[in-house]
Amino acid sequence: MACRGRRPEHGGPPELFYDQNEARKYMRNSRMIDVQTKMTGRALELLDLPDEKPCFLLDIGCGTGLSGDYLSDEGHYWVGIDISLAMLDAALDREAQGDLLLGDMGQGIPFKPGSFDGCISISAVQWLCNANKKSDIPAKRLYCFFSSLYSVLVRGARAVLQLYPENSEQLELITTQAIRAGFTGGVVVDYPNSAKAKKFYLCLFSGPSTFLPKGLNEIKEEEEAKESTFTSKRVPYRIARSGVVRKMKTREWVLEKKERRRRQGKEVRPDTQYTGHKRKPYF
């Protein structure tokens, strides 16, 4: 579910809300890409992984694979799970480097115990607080998610889940179920005094208790102005393109991506004069 621009206040299940139109926005809009990248970087920082050691990570609500691209750039391997088929199709179109799985996190994480060195999630967990049908009980779905997440992590590993709680009661519900499942830790709040830049990160430990990281407090005015404004209203949206988007699919971008895959031991076609060359349509 990736970098979500809205809270789930509008109702409806996420797999219907994140349709093909939404997926296109996460592929083309430079602001969304920038916000997603920053939040993923912050989540990875809070994950506190060993230096210069590739890790195997889980991305909950991976969406179009924007977070996964950041993980790959940092030298890690990852598996993403998302409930939206449209978002996963977009990830495949983008040639996301991680393995992708269609699934509902509220029904548990379907991997063997101790599979992952860590977990990140960008704006997905709050969806479990919605009851979209009579059988959906938020507390039970949250507990099922956290208990299975606790199982698939290596003991001592962390999970950092960025989320947008609607209120303090919802945040308490989420943290209570996480602790009940066996996690320790708590909520890290970045920029608590900023209405636009404020971010919540649920930092969970699957081993002995450790010190909770401190939230960020200082933010420049120009950076705050770039942050997303979250609203329950669905407003008309005009797709914007900038340097971040224009860079994609260029020869330099393709060569860099191929070299990254070679370092990961993957089979890659040799570079030629036609690599990254934009082909004309044939009729």
Side-chain angles (χ1 to χ4, degrees), residues 14-51:
E15 62 269 29
L16 296 182
F17 175 72
Y18 291 103
D19 55 12
Q20 292 181 351
N21 291 330
E22 285 293 311
R24 293 191 191 100
K25 294 178 184 179
Y26 289 95
M27 295 180 66
R28 299 175 179 176
N29 184 264
S30 60
R31 178 185 59 82
M32 287 185 172
I33 294 174
D34 183 58
V35 173
Q36 172 82 4
T37 300
K38 288 181 179 179
M39 291 193 294
T40 305
R42 176 58 172 156
L44 195 58
E45 177 185 344
L46 293 171
L47 213 53
D48 194 28
L49 297 171
D51 294 334

Side-chain angles (χ1 to χ4, degrees), residues 19-274:
D19 55 12
Q20 292 181 351
N21 291 330
E22 285 293 311
R24 293 191 191 100
K25 294 178 184 179
Y26 289 95
M27 295 180 66
R28 299 175 179 176
N29 184 264
S30 60
R31 178 185 59 82
M32 287 185 172
I33 294 174
D34 183 58
V35 173
Q36 172 82 4
T37 300
K38 288 181 179 179
M39 291 193 294
T40 305
R42 176 58 172 156
L44 195 58
E45 177 185 344
L46 293 171
L47 213 53
D48 194 28
L49 297 171
D51 294 334
E52 300 181 358
K53 178 183 177 182
C55 294
F56 189 44
L57 305 177
L58 176 64
D59 184 1
I60 301 293
C62 62
T64 60
L66 291 176
S67 295
D69 283 351
Y70 188 93
L71 298 178
S72 296
D73 290 342
E74 293 297 315
H76 301 296
Y77 303 93
W78 59 278
V79 172
I81 182 172
D82 200 286
I83 198 172
S84 169
L85 183 59
M87 299 291 274
L88 292 177
D89 284 342
L92 291 174
D93 290 340
R94 295 181 62 257
E95 298 183 355
Q97 298 182 42
D99 293 321
L100 305 173
L101 177 67
L102 178 66
D104 180 1
M105 59 181 170
Q107 296 180 359
I109 309 299
F111 293 100
K112 294 181 179 180
S115 296
F116 297 98
D117 301 311
C119 169
I120 68 164
S121 178
I122 306 300
S123 190
V125 177
Q126 71 270 2
W127 284 96
L128 292 177
C129 295
N130 279 16
N132 297 307
K133 50 188 177 181
K134 291 183 178 180
S135 60
D136 285 350
I137 302 176
K140 289 187 176 181
R141 284 172 56 79
L142 282 164
Y143 178 74
C144 181
F145 164 65
F146 283 119
S147 58
S148 60
L149 177 60
Y150 186 90
S151 174
V152 302
L153 291 177
V154 174
R155 292 288 75 82
R158 293 187 182 188
V160 178
L161 316 174
Q162 185 275 329
L163 68 160
Y164 291 107
E166 293 182 10
N167 48 52
S168 58
E169 290 77 13
Q170 190 178 89
L171 184 60
E172 182 179 0
L173 173 64
I174 294 172
T175 55
T176 298
Q177 297 306 315
I179 294 173
R180 183 186 168 207
F183 284 107
T184 57
V187 178
V188 176
V189 183
D190 284 353
Y191 314 121
N193 299 320
S194 171
K196 294 183 178 180
K198 187 176 183 179
K199 296 289 185 296
F200 292 85
Y201 295 87
L202 183 59
C203 192
L204 303 174
F205 312 125
S206 63
S209 299
T210 185
F211 293 106
L212 194 66
K214 293 183 179 180
L216 304 178
N217 288 311
E218 297 182 2
I219 184 171
K220 297 179 180 179
E221 292 183 1
E222 58 269 23
E223 291 181 353
E224 182 173 354
K226 294 180 181 179
E227 292 291 341
S228 301
T229 300
F230 298 93
T231 174
S232 61
K233 298 180 180 179
R234 301 191 65 176
V235 296
Y237 189 81
R238 189 170 69 180
I239 295 176
R241 292 177 178 270
S242 73
V244 176
V245 180
R246 286 195 296 268
K247 180 181 177 182
M248 297 178 66
K249 303 301 182 182
T250 62
R251 176 177 172 83
E252 292 75 15
W253 181 85
V254 172
L255 290 174
E256 181 182 347
K257 187 170 184 178
K258 291 177 70 175
E259 182 60 30
R260 188 166 60 239
R261 290 196 171 190
R262 290 190 184 100
R263 292 197 300 266
Q264 294 174 348
K266 297 183 179 180
E267 185 176 351
V268 180
R269 291 183 179 181
D271 298 336
T272 70
Q273 59 179 326
Y274 301 107

